[in-house]
Amino acid sequence: MCGIVGYVGYRDCSDVLVSALTKLEYRGYDSAGIAVFENDKIAVAKSKGKLQDLKDKMEIEGKLQGFAGIGHTRWATHGEPSDINSHPHSGKRVTLVHNGIIENYTELKDFLISKKREFLSDTDTEVVAHLLDYYYNKVQDPITAIIDTMQELKGSFALGIVFADYPNVVYAVRRESPLIVGIGKDENFIASDVPAIIKYTKDYYLLEHDEIAVLSKNGVEVFDIHNQPVQKELKTADWDVDAVGKCGYPHYMIKEINEQPNAIKNTVSPRIKDGLPCLEECNITTDSLKDIKQIYVVACGSAMHAGVVGQYVIEELARTPVTVDIASEFKYRNPLVGEGDLVIIISQSGETADSLAALRLAKNRGAKTLAIVNAMGSTIAREADMLIYTHAGPEISVASTKAYMVQLSVMYLFAFELALAKGRIDEEKCRYYTAKLLETSDMVKNVIDASTEISQKISSKLITADSLLYIGRGLDYALSMEGSLKLKEISYIHSESYAAGELKHGTISLITKDMPVIAVATQSDLYEKTVSNIKEVKARGAKVIMICQEGNDVPKDIANYVLQVPKFEELLLPMLVCVPLQLIAYYTAVQRGNDVDQPRNLAKSVTVE
Ligand code: M6R
């Protein structure tokens, strides 16, 4: 979703803002803009399209010159992507950028129109600019005006603000939507996320709900909503500039696929003690697990798919019932969740609006909550009762790969510990599974190397398809869901995942020679059954790509392509098999000439409902 940056210091502000915005491109956007103090006046440049369009515009109209300003990438919510609707927006002496949604903007707009304010855009943001200017007119003090405005706003927002009367000072405020303040030497920053500022500084403050920051070249002050100063804890990002660069890879997605072996190691190794899972540092103990009767896993997209794999594994090993919910459905279906239940929220960004709402609902109903989150210090991470960080490092590509992989690894760790706590497996079995989980790091590396070429070949056959079907049973079905999402989101080819056994109840009528089928058949106990389903689609003309284990007895002529993964502990096979599914999606999107890392219409972090 929208990205915010701000700068005050000694460098060329336009360059800093545009470079910082480049690092937020992954969030998804359709227009961009900046405002810079030029000789104590605020100058604005904005454009529909990509940052390059903004740069081209400044090339023609003149680059904004100055040392302080704010910038924005917009993912349209109120009003189409256009120059006019792009941020920054101004209300006389106030200019600002906004991430989030103002729910009561219509009534505020009516009020401001009654005060003779005129609006140029369709956005909720312009309403905030005028409201802030309205209060500023009254109180003549930026912080008091910001606080008065915040009292009126309903919804979520992070704002970067400049006042024409206060040159070279940047104000920032957040409610719900994330915002950090980067601390440099003789320069300071604001940003929606750490990658934007890492080139300049690793030190930052995490702005809390309803805090206001005031940045000048020489310092940063933070106030609460009662205008009282707040002492902030300085945080330091523990990754380097390479973590947010492509490092020679053509796309972030393929870089991140290749980072998976390390991501698994970093996530799993620190949580193993004497060969057994140990989640004590995450506030999870054997005793706290014993009494769990029902588990809900709630998440969105790929994170939810990791939850589906988790469901199979937890139910299989710990014999504890698990319900998996799409977060946007969970919160509106009045779920039967309450005391004694455990609600697991999985989220890479830790800021997904629906997942956050689900977490709050679960807490309100008295359930215990566990967050599995990648982004340090994110809202979901901070609000859950228990927390397991995945250590994937920053994931920049919109299509989740390494974050999904480490979410899987944590679901396994958790399942092993739960099963042991409940006495469903003994220590020896638990040690076996834990050791196998550690092995997946090297195994994933082998699978990446071994399946790249064949995935490219398969992709070249898929690029002309209009629609695809992914089928599987059990864990293979759980995996098919993720394979299908990955393909459709970046290749723009329609695809569906279907439980193989359910095909004959309707969907098989779609099968023609033009509908390729990717069949995942890695689980021995279901192999014969899936093979029968593959034969059924093959007999109806489908081109079949079959993914199975080495050594499987693959009937002749059953598939156009057979992609085999090494024999391995079958419960853990999803961690290997997701690799070719990621690669097939990646190479299909590349061969179709798509923008792999920033697929159309999508945002990396979905911070609105
Ligand atoms: O940040 P989150 O993990 O909460 O995001 C959830 C989904 O939006 C996300 O997994 C999405 O489905 C992926 N980008 C798809 O690749």
Side-chain angles (χ1 to χ4, degrees):
M1 306 252 114
C2 304
I4 289 182
V5 297
Y7 177 72
V8 43
Y10 55 87
R11 301 177 204 250
D12 178 320
C13 183
S14 288
D15 285 351
V16 174
L17 294 176
V18 173
S19 140
L21 286 173
T22 310
K23 295 296 177 202
L24 296 181
E25 280 189 303
Y26 72 91
R27 296 168 73 88
Y29 72 110
D30 41 49
S31 47
I34 60 173
V36 172
F37 280 105
E38 278 192 327
N39 299 324
D40 296 351
K41 284 212 169 60
I42 299 170
V44 172
K46 51 190 194 174
S47 168
K48 179 184 163 184
K50 294 286 177 186
L51 280 164
Q52 190 55 49
D53 297 298
L54 177 67
K55 284 198 241 175
D56 292 347
K57 195 167 182 178
M58 285 202 278
E59 192 76 41
I60 296 164
E61 296 176 2
K63 186 172 153 194
L64 307 190
Q65 304 287 350
F67 301 100
I70 50 179
H72 190 260
T73 45
R74 171 174 189 252
W75 190 85
T77 54
H78 297 68
E80 58 169 14
S82 67
D83 286 4
I84 292 280
N85 286 334
S86 309
H87 301 206
H89 288 283
S90 300
K92 299 190 179 163
R93 281 172 299 174
V94 172
T95 297
L96 55 80
V97 292
H98 165 218
N99 174 19
I101 284 189
I102 306 302
E103 286 161 9
N104 57 337
Y105 87 104
T106 321
E107 55 194 85
L108 293 172
K109 193 169 182 174
D110 289 345
F111 165 74
L112 290 162
I113 288 171
S114 76
K115 299 286 173 198
K116 306 276 177 276
R117 295 277 173 158
E118 284 176 15
F119 290 89
L120 305 173
S121 76
D122 305 320
T123 63
D124 50 349
T125 306
E126 196 183 4
V127 175
V128 183
H130 275 284
L131 189 66
L132 183 50
D133 185 70
Y134 169 81
Y135 280 116
Y136 179 64
N137 259 339
K138 279 185 152 182
V139 296
Q140 296 296 315
D141 170 58
I143 296 189
T144 316
I146 290 172
I147 291 172
D148 290 348
T149 303
M150 287 165 72
Q151 316 276 17
E152 297 290 331
L153 299 178
K154 293 203 178 104
S156 59
F157 51 86
L159 301 169
I161 310 163
V162 285
F163 288 82
D165 296 345
Y166 291 81
N168 298 331
V169 181
V170 171
Y171 295 82
V173 59
R174 76 161 281 210
R175 177 179 296 163
E176 304 292 349
S177 306
L179 201 62
I180 59 160
V181 178
I183 308 297
K185 187 166 167 8
D186 298 329
E187 58 180 351
N188 294 300
F189 308 78
I190 58 168
S192 299
D193 202 355
V194 179
I197 57 159
I198 199 94
K199 182 170 152 192
Y200 306 102
T201 179
K202 289 184 178 182
D203 295 333
Y204 65 97
Y205 296 147
L206 216 49
L207 223 49
E208 298 289 341
H209 191 69
D210 279 354
E211 282 181 349
I212 303 150
V214 186
L215 289 77
S216 63
K217 183 179 168 196
N218 300 320
V220 173
E221 291 173 295
V222 179
F223 300 90
D224 66 15
I225 197 157
H226 308 293
N227 210 345
Q228 295 303 306
V230 179
Q231 286 306 316
K232 298 295 294 179
E233 180 199 340
L234 191 66
K235 301 197 176 285
T236 303
D238 61 357
W239 5 286
D240 55 20
V241 181
D242 277 357
V244 295
K246 285 194 196 146
C247 300
Y249 287 96
H251 300 101
Y252 283 108
M253 182 173 174
I254 192 69
K255 176 188 178 223
E256 288 161 4
I257 288 173
N258 279 284
E259 284 173 344
Q260 293 182 118
N262 266 340
I264 297 171
K265 212 176 278 165
N266 294 342
T267 302
V268 175
S269 307
R271 276 75 183 253
I272 294 180
K273 206 166 145 194
D274 302 330
L276 291 171
C278 177
L279 298 169
E280 267 167 26
E281 45 114 17
C282 313
N283 220 359
I284 299 169
T285 57
T286 312
D287 278 348
S288 67
L289 293 175
K290 271 187 191 141
D291 299 330
I292 296 169
K293 303 248 167 344
Q294 165 77 46
I295 296 175
Y296 292 84
V297 181
V298 190
C300 304
S302 298
M304 189 268 294
H305 294 156
V308 181
V309 173
Q311 176 187 37
Y312 279 88
V313 179
I314 293 171
E315 291 195 339
E316 172 69 25
L317 294 183
R319 307 307 292 158
T320 303
V322 181
T323 304
V324 181
D325 266 278
I326 296 169
S328 55
E329 290 293 316
F330 179 78
K331 61 181 183 178
Y332 292 120
R333 76 171 168 84
N334 197 7
L336 289 168
V337 64
E339 270 177 46
D341 296 333
L342 174 70
V343 176
I344 303 179
I345 307 286
I346 309 178
S347 176
Q348 187 286 129
S349 63
E351 300 291 349
T352 301
D354 287 320
S355 304
L356 177 59
L359 168 76
R360 289 177 177 164
L361 182 146
K363 283 184 84 168
N364 277 339
R365 301 250 173 120
K368 279 256 161 298
T369 54
L370 162 64
I372 299 174
V373 169
N374 195 46
M376 300 274 169
S378 55
T379 312
I380 292 175
R382 283 182 293 147
E383 292 194 12
D385 302 313
M386 294 168 278
L387 168 66
I388 307 179
Y389 273 124
T390 53
H391 296 303
E395 189 179 65
I396 309 283
S397 176
V398 164
S400 187
T401 53
K402 61 174 180 172
Y404 169 78
M405 179 69 91
V406 289
Q407 287 160 357
L408 289 186
S409 70
V410 167
M411 288 311 281
Y412 281 108
L413 261 186
F414 178 79
F416 302 159
E417 174 137 16
L418 182 69
L420 185 65
K422 287 193 171 271
R424 293 289 181 174
I425 56 172
D426 59 21
E427 269 199 23
E428 194 189 342
K429 194 80 190 161
C430 194
R431 269 181 222 286
Y432 162 79
Y433 282 130
T434 309
K436 286 286 164 195
L437 180 61
L438 264 177
E439 268 179 50
T440 57
S441 167
D442 289 340
M443 297 295 286
V444 164
K445 165 111 191 50
N446 296 342
V447 176
I448 296 173
D449 294 343
S451 52
T452 295
E453 206 177 309
I454 178 152
S455 298
Q456 279 169 324
K457 211 176 279 172
I458 291 168
S459 298
S460 70
K461 304 290 172 203
L462 298 180
I463 50 175
T464 52
D466 290 327
S467 191
L468 245 94
L469 208 57
Y470 284 73
I471 59 170
R473 288 169 179 258
L475 276 172
D476 291 330
Y477 173 45
L479 205 55
S480 300
M481 293 180 187
E482 177 57 8
S484 169
L485 174 63
K486 210 87 308 169
L487 183 93
K488 77 179 111 184
E489 71 175 321
I490 57 172
S491 75
Y492 314 147
I493 299 173
H494 169 258
S495 86
E496 244 187 280
S497 60
Y498 228 76
E502 184 68 6
L503 275 181
K504 288 198 282 293
H505 300 283
T507 306
I508 200 164
S509 68
L510 290 173
I511 299 292
T512 66
K513 65 175 184 24
D514 298 321
M515 168 80 97
V517 174
I518 299 191
V520 188
T522 69
Q523 302 293 308
S524 298
D525 54 339
L526 298 166
Y527 184 72
E528 291 305 327
K529 300 242 173 271
T530 309
V531 164
S532 300
N533 299 126
I534 298 175
K535 284 181 180 163
E536 287 158 6
V537 294
K538 190 76 181 128
R540 285 155 183 86
K543 291 190 186 57
V544 174
I545 293 119
M546 181 178 177
I547 303 180
C548 59
Q549 285 191 66
E550 278 168 10
N552 275 147
D553 179 17
V554 181
K556 198 163 162 285
D557 295 336
I558 192 181
N560 301 69
Y561 288 94
V562 179
L563 197 159
Q564 291 182 313
V565 294
K567 264 204 155 331
F568 195 58
E569 166 51 52
E570 291 190 2
L571 202 65
L572 287 156
L573 270 181
M575 291 182 65
L576 309 195
V577 180
C578 70
V579 170
L581 295 177
Q582 294 167 346
L583 290 172
I584 289 171
Y586 172 72
Y587 287 114
T588 307
V590 169
Q591 289 176 39
R592 280 169 67 99
N594 293 354
D595 186 344
V596 173
D597 289 329
Q598 292 162 46
R600 70 180 177 215
N601 305 338
L602 284 177
K604 178 71 180 162
S605 172
V606 184
T607 50
V608 295
E609 271 193 54

PDB file of all heavy atoms in Angstrom, residues 300-304 346-352 355 380 397-400 407 482 485-486 489 603-606, ligand 1:
ATOM      1  N   CYS A 300      -3.952 -14.250   5.851  1.00  0.00           N
ATOM      2  CA  CYS A 300      -4.400 -13.929   4.481  1.00  0.00           C
ATOM      3  C   CYS A 300      -3.387 -14.492   3.473  1.00  0.00           C
ATOM      4  O   CYS A 300      -2.195 -14.556   3.768  1.00  0.00           O
ATOM      5  CB  CYS A 300      -4.433 -12.420   4.260  1.00  0.00           C
ATOM      6  SG  CYS A 300      -5.437 -11.538   5.440  1.00  0.00           S
ATOM      7  N   GLY A 301      -3.876 -14.808   2.301  1.00  0.00           N
ATOM      8  CA  GLY A 301      -3.010 -15.156   1.169  1.00  0.00           C
ATOM      9  C   GLY A 301      -2.046 -16.292   1.468  1.00  0.00           C
ATOM     10  O   GLY A 301      -2.412 -17.330   2.038  1.00  0.00           O
ATOM     11  N   SER A 302      -0.778 -16.081   1.114  1.00  0.00           N
ATOM     12  CA  SER A 302       0.230 -17.134   1.296  1.00  0.00           C
ATOM     13  C   SER A 302       0.366 -17.514   2.762  1.00  0.00           C
ATOM     14  O   SER A 302       0.589 -18.693   3.087  1.00  0.00           O
ATOM     15  CB  SER A 302       1.590 -16.642   0.799  1.00  0.00           C
ATOM     16  OG  SER A 302       1.523 -16.369  -0.562  1.00  0.00           O
ATOM     17  N   ALA A 303       0.255 -16.525   3.636  1.00  0.00           N
ATOM     18  CA  ALA A 303       0.389 -16.808   5.076  1.00  0.00           C
ATOM     19  C   ALA A 303      -0.718 -17.779   5.508  1.00  0.00           C
ATOM     20  O   ALA A 303      -0.496 -18.691   6.309  1.00  0.00           O
ATOM     21  CB  ALA A 303       0.315 -15.503   5.866  1.00  0.00           C
ATOM     22  N   MET A 304      -1.917 -17.585   4.928  1.00  0.00           N
ATOM     23  CA  MET A 304      -3.023 -18.487   5.257  1.00  0.00           C
ATOM     24  C   MET A 304      -2.718 -19.898   4.714  1.00  0.00           C
ATOM     25  O   MET A 304      -3.008 -20.905   5.358  1.00  0.00           O
ATOM     26  CB  MET A 304      -4.310 -17.913   4.664  1.00  0.00           C
ATOM     27  CG  MET A 304      -5.585 -18.602   5.092  1.00  0.00           C
ATOM     28  SD  MET A 304      -6.039 -19.904   3.967  1.00  0.00           S
ATOM     29  CE  MET A 304      -6.402 -18.990   2.481  1.00  0.00           C
ATOM     30  N   ILE A 346      -0.701 -15.519  11.375  1.00  0.00           N
ATOM     31  CA  ILE A 346       0.543 -15.582  10.592  1.00  0.00           C
ATOM     32  C   ILE A 346       0.586 -14.378   9.661  1.00  0.00           C
ATOM     33  O   ILE A 346      -0.388 -14.113   8.948  1.00  0.00           O
ATOM     34  CB  ILE A 346       0.619 -16.874   9.747  1.00  0.00           C
ATOM     35  CG1 ILE A 346       0.342 -18.110  10.619  1.00  0.00           C
ATOM     36  CG2 ILE A 346       1.967 -16.998   9.077  1.00  0.00           C
ATOM     37  CD1 ILE A 346       0.353 -19.428   9.843  1.00  0.00           C
ATOM     38  N   SER A 347       1.698 -13.663   9.678  1.00  0.00           N
ATOM     39  CA  SER A 347       1.797 -12.490   8.802  1.00  0.00           C
ATOM     40  C   SER A 347       3.255 -12.116   8.560  1.00  0.00           C
ATOM     41  O   SER A 347       4.031 -11.984   9.510  1.00  0.00           O
ATOM     42  CB  SER A 347       1.061 -11.300   9.438  1.00  0.00           C
ATOM     43  OG  SER A 347       1.223 -10.151   8.660  1.00  0.00           O
ATOM     44  N   GLN A 348       3.614 -11.974   7.323  1.00  0.00           N
ATOM     45  CA  GLN A 348       4.963 -11.517   7.000  1.00  0.00           C
ATOM     46  C   GLN A 348       5.150 -10.092   7.492  1.00  0.00           C
ATOM     47  O   GLN A 348       6.077  -9.789   8.224  1.00  0.00           O
ATOM     48  CB  GLN A 348       5.178 -11.603   5.483  1.00  0.00           C
ATOM     49  CG  GLN A 348       6.586 -11.322   4.987  1.00  0.00           C
ATOM     50  CD  GLN A 348       7.002  -9.856   5.006  1.00  0.00           C
ATOM     51  OE1 GLN A 348       8.071  -9.515   5.543  1.00  0.00           O
ATOM     52  NE2 GLN A 348       6.191  -8.977   4.473  1.00  0.00           N
ATOM     53  N   SER A 349       4.249  -9.208   7.083  1.00  0.00           N
ATOM     54  CA  SER A 349       4.415  -7.772   7.371  1.00  0.00           C
ATOM     55  C   SER A 349       4.058  -7.432   8.804  1.00  0.00           C
ATOM     56  O   SER A 349       4.542  -6.444   9.355  1.00  0.00           O
ATOM     57  CB  SER A 349       3.506  -6.964   6.446  1.00  0.00           C
ATOM     58  OG  SER A 349       2.147  -7.289   6.711  1.00  0.00           O
ATOM     59  N   GLY A 350       3.173  -8.221   9.402  1.00  0.00           N
ATOM     60  CA  GLY A 350       2.695  -7.897  10.750  1.00  0.00           C
ATOM     61  C   GLY A 350       1.793  -6.681  10.767  1.00  0.00           C
ATOM     62  O   GLY A 350       1.475  -6.147  11.836  1.00  0.00           O
ATOM     63  N   GLU A 351       1.380  -6.220   9.594  1.00  0.00           N
ATOM     64  CA  GLU A 351       0.542  -5.022   9.528  1.00  0.00           C
ATOM     65  C   GLU A 351      -0.742  -5.267   8.743  1.00  0.00           C
ATOM     66  O   GLU A 351      -1.507  -4.323   8.527  1.00  0.00           O
ATOM     67  CB  GLU A 351       1.298  -3.855   8.862  1.00  0.00           C
ATOM     68  CG  GLU A 351       2.577  -3.424   9.562  1.00  0.00           C
ATOM     69  CD  GLU A 351       2.336  -2.741  10.910  1.00  0.00           C
ATOM     70  OE1 GLU A 351       1.176  -2.412  11.226  1.00  0.00           O
ATOM     71  OE2 GLU A 351       3.325  -2.578  11.656  1.00  0.00           O
ATOM     72  N   THR A 352      -0.987  -6.476   8.266  1.00  0.00           N
ATOM     73  CA  THR A 352      -2.164  -6.739   7.445  1.00  0.00           C
ATOM     74  C   THR A 352      -3.433  -6.419   8.243  1.00  0.00           C
ATOM     75  O   THR A 352      -3.656  -6.971   9.328  1.00  0.00           O
ATOM     76  CB  THR A 352      -2.146  -8.207   6.983  1.00  0.00           C
ATOM     77  OG1 THR A 352      -0.936  -8.399   6.255  1.00  0.00           O
ATOM     78  CG2 THR A 352      -3.328  -8.534   6.098  1.00  0.00           C
ATOM     79  N   SER A 355      -5.786  -9.295   9.354  1.00  0.00           N
ATOM     80  CA  SER A 355      -5.162 -10.201  10.331  1.00  0.00           C
ATOM     81  C   SER A 355      -5.069  -9.514  11.695  1.00  0.00           C
ATOM     82  O   SER A 355      -5.289 -10.137  12.737  1.00  0.00           O
ATOM     83  CB  SER A 355      -3.764 -10.619   9.856  1.00  0.00           C
ATOM     84  OG  SER A 355      -3.862 -11.194   8.578  1.00  0.00           O
ATOM     85  N   ILE A 380       1.168  -6.430  14.745  1.00  0.00           N
ATOM     86  CA  ILE A 380       0.713  -7.769  15.145  1.00  0.00           C
ATOM     87  C   ILE A 380       1.735  -8.384  16.108  1.00  0.00           C
ATOM     88  O   ILE A 380       1.365  -8.986  17.122  1.00  0.00           O
ATOM     89  CB  ILE A 380       0.486  -8.665  13.901  1.00  0.00           C
ATOM     90  CG1 ILE A 380      -0.723  -8.126  13.108  1.00  0.00           C
ATOM     91  CG2 ILE A 380       0.265 -10.122  14.288  1.00  0.00           C
ATOM     92  CD1 ILE A 380      -1.002  -8.821  11.797  1.00  0.00           C
ATOM     93  N   SER A 397       9.908  -8.606  -2.779  1.00  0.00           N
ATOM     94  CA  SER A 397       8.993  -8.998  -3.858  1.00  0.00           C
ATOM     95  C   SER A 397       7.582  -9.157  -3.296  1.00  0.00           C
ATOM     96  O   SER A 397       7.400  -9.704  -2.202  1.00  0.00           O
ATOM     97  CB  SER A 397       9.468 -10.324  -4.451  1.00  0.00           C
ATOM     98  OG  SER A 397       8.544 -10.758  -5.416  1.00  0.00           O
ATOM     99  N   VAL A 398       6.608  -8.686  -4.042  1.00  0.00           N
ATOM    100  CA  VAL A 398       5.222  -8.811  -3.568  1.00  0.00           C
ATOM    101  C   VAL A 398       4.867 -10.291  -3.390  1.00  0.00           C
ATOM    102  O   VAL A 398       4.220 -10.682  -2.416  1.00  0.00           O
ATOM    103  CB  VAL A 398       4.248  -8.109  -4.550  1.00  0.00           C
ATOM    104  CG1 VAL A 398       2.811  -8.541  -4.299  1.00  0.00           C
ATOM    105  CG2 VAL A 398       4.369  -6.594  -4.407  1.00  0.00           C
ATOM    106  N   ALA A 399       5.293 -11.118  -4.331  1.00  0.00           N
ATOM    107  CA  ALA A 399       4.996 -12.551  -4.217  1.00  0.00           C
ATOM    108  C   ALA A 399       5.835 -13.146  -3.097  1.00  0.00           C
ATOM    109  O   ALA A 399       7.063 -13.125  -3.138  1.00  0.00           O
ATOM    110  CB  ALA A 399       5.310 -13.251  -5.536  1.00  0.00           C
ATOM    111  N   SER A 400       5.164 -13.667  -2.127  1.00  0.00           N
ATOM    112  CA  SER A 400       5.867 -14.189  -0.955  1.00  0.00           C
ATOM    113  C   SER A 400       6.487 -15.546  -1.265  1.00  0.00           C
ATOM    114  O   SER A 400       5.815 -16.443  -1.774  1.00  0.00           O
ATOM    115  CB  SER A 400       4.842 -14.314   0.176  1.00  0.00           C
ATOM    116  OG  SER A 400       5.490 -14.651   1.359  1.00  0.00           O
ATOM    117  N   GLN A 407       7.437 -19.480   7.396  1.00  0.00           N
ATOM    118  CA  GLN A 407       6.166 -19.681   8.118  1.00  0.00           C
ATOM    119  C   GLN A 407       5.895 -21.180   8.239  1.00  0.00           C
ATOM    120  O   GLN A 407       5.490 -21.675   9.287  1.00  0.00           O
ATOM    121  CB  GLN A 407       5.018 -18.976   7.378  1.00  0.00           C
ATOM    122  CG  GLN A 407       5.058 -17.455   7.517  1.00  0.00           C
ATOM    123  CD  GLN A 407       4.266 -16.726   6.455  1.00  0.00           C
ATOM    124  OE1 GLN A 407       3.701 -17.324   5.542  1.00  0.00           O
ATOM    125  NE2 GLN A 407       4.219 -15.401   6.552  1.00  0.00           N
ATOM    126  N   GLU A 482      -1.026 -22.779  -2.647  1.00  0.00           N
ATOM    127  CA  GLU A 482       0.028 -21.775  -2.717  1.00  0.00           C
ATOM    128  C   GLU A 482       0.610 -21.699  -4.130  1.00  0.00           C
ATOM    129  O   GLU A 482       0.852 -20.609  -4.656  1.00  0.00           O
ATOM    130  CB  GLU A 482       1.105 -22.090  -1.673  1.00  0.00           C
ATOM    131  CG  GLU A 482       2.302 -21.172  -1.674  1.00  0.00           C
ATOM    132  CD  GLU A 482       1.979 -19.698  -1.479  1.00  0.00           C
ATOM    133  OE1 GLU A 482       0.823 -19.345  -1.179  1.00  0.00           O
ATOM    134  OE2 GLU A 482       2.891 -18.878  -1.661  1.00  0.00           O
ATOM    135  N   LEU A 485      -1.805 -19.697  -6.274  1.00  0.00           N
ATOM    136  CA  LEU A 485      -1.786 -18.248  -5.974  1.00  0.00           C
ATOM    137  C   LEU A 485      -0.537 -17.599  -6.558  1.00  0.00           C
ATOM    138  O   LEU A 485      -0.595 -16.531  -7.170  1.00  0.00           O
ATOM    139  CB  LEU A 485      -1.836 -18.024  -4.449  1.00  0.00           C
ATOM    140  CG  LEU A 485      -1.681 -16.562  -4.000  1.00  0.00           C
ATOM    141  CD1 LEU A 485      -2.828 -15.696  -4.511  1.00  0.00           C
ATOM    142  CD2 LEU A 485      -1.598 -16.453  -2.484  1.00  0.00           C
ATOM    143  N   LYS A 486       0.601 -18.293  -6.368  1.00  0.00           N
ATOM    144  CA  LYS A 486       1.865 -17.726  -6.847  1.00  0.00           C
ATOM    145  C   LYS A 486       1.794 -17.495  -8.341  1.00  0.00           C
ATOM    146  O   LYS A 486       2.172 -16.458  -8.848  1.00  0.00           O
ATOM    147  CB  LYS A 486       2.990 -18.704  -6.498  1.00  0.00           C
ATOM    148  CG  LYS A 486       4.313 -18.115  -6.245  1.00  0.00           C
ATOM    149  CD  LYS A 486       4.534 -17.669  -4.822  1.00  0.00           C
ATOM    150  CE  LYS A 486       3.457 -16.781  -4.295  1.00  0.00           C
ATOM    151  NZ  LYS A 486       3.462 -16.517  -2.907  1.00  0.00           N
ATOM    152  N   GLU A 489      -0.840 -14.610  -9.382  1.00  0.00           N
ATOM    153  CA  GLU A 489      -0.569 -13.220  -8.995  1.00  0.00           C
ATOM    154  C   GLU A 489       0.528 -12.576  -9.821  1.00  0.00           C
ATOM    155  O   GLU A 489       0.527 -11.368 -10.016  1.00  0.00           O
ATOM    156  CB  GLU A 489      -0.286 -13.084  -7.496  1.00  0.00           C
ATOM    157  CG  GLU A 489       1.026 -13.652  -7.032  1.00  0.00           C
ATOM    158  CD  GLU A 489       1.301 -13.381  -5.556  1.00  0.00           C
ATOM    159  OE1 GLU A 489       0.985 -12.295  -5.075  1.00  0.00           O
ATOM    160  OE2 GLU A 489       1.846 -14.281  -4.887  1.00  0.00           O
ATOM    161  N   ALA A 603      -0.400  -4.903  -3.650  1.00  0.00           N
ATOM    162  CA  ALA A 603       0.455  -4.208  -2.686  1.00  0.00           C
ATOM    163  C   ALA A 603       1.088  -5.257  -1.788  1.00  0.00           C
ATOM    164  O   ALA A 603       0.488  -6.297  -1.520  1.00  0.00           O
ATOM    165  CB  ALA A 603      -0.376  -3.255  -1.857  1.00  0.00           C
ATOM    166  N   LYS A 604       2.290  -5.004  -1.326  1.00  0.00           N
ATOM    167  CA  LYS A 604       2.985  -5.985  -0.481  1.00  0.00           C
ATOM    168  C   LYS A 604       2.332  -6.070   0.889  1.00  0.00           C
ATOM    169  O   LYS A 604       2.183  -7.151   1.448  1.00  0.00           O
ATOM    170  CB  LYS A 604       4.454  -5.572  -0.348  1.00  0.00           C
ATOM    171  CG  LYS A 604       5.286  -6.475   0.546  1.00  0.00           C
ATOM    172  CD  LYS A 604       5.521  -7.808  -0.118  1.00  0.00           C
ATOM    173  CE  LYS A 604       6.356  -8.765   0.726  1.00  0.00           C
ATOM    174  NZ  LYS A 604       6.196 -10.155   0.254  1.00  0.00           N
ATOM    175  N   SER A 605       1.998  -4.908   1.409  1.00  0.00           N
ATOM    176  CA  SER A 605       1.481  -4.906   2.770  1.00  0.00           C
ATOM    177  C   SER A 605       0.075  -4.312   2.712  1.00  0.00           C
ATOM    178  O   SER A 605      -0.091  -3.145   2.363  1.00  0.00           O
ATOM    179  CB  SER A 605       2.456  -4.066   3.590  1.00  0.00           C
ATOM    180  OG  SER A 605       1.970  -3.841   4.851  1.00  0.00           O
ATOM    181  N   VAL A 606      -0.922  -5.138   3.009  1.00  0.00           N
ATOM    182  CA  VAL A 606      -2.308  -4.708   2.793  1.00  0.00           C
ATOM    183  C   VAL A 606      -2.854  -4.117   4.104  1.00  0.00           C
ATOM    184  O   VAL A 606      -3.409  -4.830   4.938  1.00  0.00           O
ATOM    185  CB  VAL A 606      -3.172  -5.860   2.267  1.00  0.00           C
ATOM    186  CG1 VAL A 606      -4.582  -5.387   1.953  1.00  0.00           C
ATOM    187  CG2 VAL A 606      -2.544  -6.445   1.005  1.00  0.00           C
TER     188      VAL A 606
HETATM  189  O1  M6R B   1       2.018  -9.557   5.311  1.00  0.00           O
HETATM  190  P1  M6R B   1       1.090 -10.732   5.322  1.00  0.00           P
HETATM  191  O2  M6R B   1       1.813 -12.030   5.412  1.00  0.00           O
HETATM  192  O3  M6R B   1       0.034 -10.627   6.376  1.00  0.00           O
HETATM  193  O4  M6R B   1       0.368 -10.708   3.932  1.00  0.00           O
HETATM  194  C1  M6R B   1      -0.655 -11.619   3.634  1.00  0.00           C
HETATM  195  C2  M6R B   1      -0.908 -11.703   2.145  1.00  0.00           C
HETATM  196  O5  M6R B   1      -1.252 -10.451   1.637  1.00  0.00           O
HETATM  197  C3  M6R B   1       0.330 -12.222   1.402  1.00  0.00           C
HETATM  198  O6  M6R B   1       0.744 -13.468   1.885  1.00  0.00           O
HETATM  199  C4  M6R B   1       0.044 -12.332  -0.107  1.00  0.00           C
HETATM  200  O7  M6R B   1      -0.927 -13.289  -0.350  1.00  0.00           O
HETATM  201  C5  M6R B   1       1.342 -12.679  -0.810  1.00  0.00           C
HETATM  202  N1  M6R B   1       1.995 -11.482  -1.198  1.00  0.00           N
HETATM  203  C6  M6R B   1       1.133 -13.531  -1.990  1.00  0.00           C
HETATM  204  O8  M6R B   1       2.357 -13.884  -2.554  1.00  0.00           O
END
